[in-house]
Amino acid sequence: MTQPTVSLSSEVARFRDRSDIVRLGVVALASDLTTEPDFAAIFGPAGVAVHVSRLRNANPVTPANLRKMAGRLTEAASLLVDGVPLGAIYYSCTSASVVIGDAEVAASINAARPGVPVVTPSGAARQAFAALGVHRIALLTPYTVETTEPMAAYFAANGFDVTACACLGIEDDRDMAHVTAETIVAAARAVDTQEAEAIFISCTALPAAGVAAIIEAATGKPVVTSNQAGAWALARHAGLADFRPAGFGRLFDLPMAPGSAGAAA
């Protein structure tokens, strides 16, 4: 066989304008099956680029296993599209953000990507409640009781009245990713109370973002989910003030409240 001579093309490469592309980073768990599909549905139609890095995690989802991820955050963040500006970075684990701490998560990620706003699902939920003007929430998680208790304590410690709290008792986040929409809707309606002003559905592994609007229609109350709130906070930190994807709940109609508490660095 004859080896052809390689030559430069006569066509000079031209490049698209890169300045108008909004890019977001996500540090996801190695076993996460839900965040990427959720964000593809939310951000894809708008042409927002989402870049994902993974970090090792362990099942079952327990406070002890969640804490083990703290030392891996900086390395995982360092693998996010090196040398490319990011509008914000999302750590996609609600329960770990609560156990490790929003501030520690942000500091660990900023050690690799200094100056970039960091969003945790728990911090984004607090910002969402501030934007909605609510303080009394009903809380639903897919976790066990052991892993749900720190979540309820987190919101109580941050000034929220948790009117009811229920969990589905699932230990593995890969199983959480396959919970049916019907189960999520029914469980959210069951945990709702007359006193609750909003419902929070925790866990980035749980496919709840796509049913938030359905639960809102059924209950008449705003619904906040981990990935929905995370996407909203990412968009607002990245300067997408008018970003309003259809079908993901009333939260996207709102700006971020000035001075609202959260995980942003």
Side-chain angles (χ1 to χ4, degrees):
M1 299 291 290
T2 302
Q3 178 69 34
T5 301
V6 178
S7 62
L8 286 173
S9 172
S10 60
E11 186 65 32
V12 177
R14 296 178 293 277
F15 300 96
R16 293 178 296 156
D17 181 8
R18 305 172 201 185
S19 63
D20 61 347
I21 301 175
V22 175
R23 298 185 184 277
L24 303 171
V26 174
V27 175
L29 308 192
S31 56
D32 186 335
L33 300 174
T34 304
T35 302
E36 286 174 298
D38 275 356
F39 279 17
I42 293 170
F43 289 115
V48 176
V50 178
H51 303 282
V52 179
S53 174
R54 298 259 176 171
L55 86 167
R56 178 59 55 192
N57 65 298
N59 278 292
V61 178
T62 63
N65 279 337
L66 293 167
R67 288 189 191 96
K68 294 176 183 177
M69 286 187 277
R72 304 169 188 154
L73 284 164
T74 300
E75 181 182 7
S78 73
L79 300 175
L80 283 169
V81 288
D82 190 31
V84 176
L86 295 171
I89 297 173
Y90 180 58
Y91 175 44
S92 185
C93 188
T94 321
S95 51
S97 296
V98 165
V99 170
I100 296 169
D102 295 321
E104 184 175 340
V105 168
S108 296
I109 291 176
N110 281 147
R113 298 301 293 257
V116 180
V118 175
V119 173
T120 65
S122 46
R126 288 192 287 135
Q127 291 175 319
F129 297 139
L132 290 162
V134 302
H135 296 90
R136 298 188 302 277
I137 62 171
L139 172 61
L140 172 67
T141 88
Y143 322 125
T144 61
V145 170
E146 176 192 15
T147 304
T148 301
E149 286 174 341
M151 185 71 57
Y154 170 89
F155 285 106
N158 280 282
F160 295 95
D161 181 6
V162 181
T163 65
C165 181
C167 60
L168 298 177
I170 305 172
E171 294 186 335
D172 193 308
D173 67 335
R174 291 162 295 191
D175 293 331
M176 297 173 193
H178 291 95
V179 174
T180 66
E182 292 80 8
T183 298
I184 298 169
V185 172
R189 295 185 68 177
V191 79
D192 185 26
T193 66
Q194 184 175 355
E195 298 80 17
E197 298 170 305
I199 300 168
F200 177 54
I201 306 175
S202 180
C203 190
T204 59
L206 192 69
V211 297
I214 296 172
I215 301 168
E216 287 184 342
T219 63
K221 298 177 181 180
V223 172
V224 176
T225 83
S226 290
N227 282 339
Q228 170 229 42
W232 169 80
L234 284 169
R236 298 302 182 253
H237 282 302
L240 299 174
D242 297 323
F243 180 69
R244 291 175 172 81
F248 292 95
R250 67 181 75 174
L251 176 61
F252 281 101
D253 293 333
L254 302 173
M256 191 171 286
S260 62

